[in-house]
Amino acid sequence: MGTRRGGGGSGDGPDDRQGAGAALLTRTRPKRPDMYRVLLLNDDYTPMEFVVQVLEQFFNKSREDATRIMYHVHQTGVGVCGVYTFEVAETKVAQVMDFSRRHQHPLQCVMEKN
């Protein structure tokens, strides 16, 4: 009997590279972070202009976009302010809630996984 290397190939085949101590290297892409939607919820007490101000100040919306989102929230009960990583979304929700409470408005801002 002769000495066999790998799977009995010619010595140049793929089986020869998987011998003892050999490692298969694969290139993987970094995982994208989970994204979260920041939502405003409609209520019957927060003035529309205050909601527009919140959208402009905390979500960098133009007056036109902020007004459109505000009307969407008013008509449907909920509206998306933006989509962010967890930490950014969490910060924006906290900022809006704090700002609303300081101005004595019951505006609710929440986040959900996208």
Side-chain angles (χ1 to χ4, degrees), residues 31-44:
K31 184 179 180 260
R32 289 185 175 208
D34 291 332
M35 300 300 282
Y36 292 80
R37 291 189 292 177
V38 176
L39 308 169
L40 285 181
L41 307 179
N42 189 49
D43 65 71
D44 294 331

Side-chain angles (χ1 to χ4, degrees), residues 4-23:
R4 294 178 61 159
R5 295 185 348 168
S10 65
D12 294 330
D15 290 337
D16 291 334
R17 290 181 293 212
Q18 295 176 0

Side-chain angles (χ1 to χ4, degrees), residues 75-114:
Q75 293 169 348
T76 66
V78 64
V80 177
C81 304
V83 179
Y84 308 95
T85 60
F86 179 83
E87 292 80 10
V88 173
E90 186 176 48
T91 299
K92 289 194 177 286
V93 168
Q95 289 173 330
V96 170
M97 294 297 289
D98 181 57
F99 186 71
S100 297
R101 296 306 160 263
R102 281 188 284 128
H103 289 85
Q104 300 179 346
H105 295 301
L107 182 65
Q108 292 292 305
C109 186
V110 298
M111 59 188 264
E112 68 179 20
K113 199 168 184 180
N114 196 15

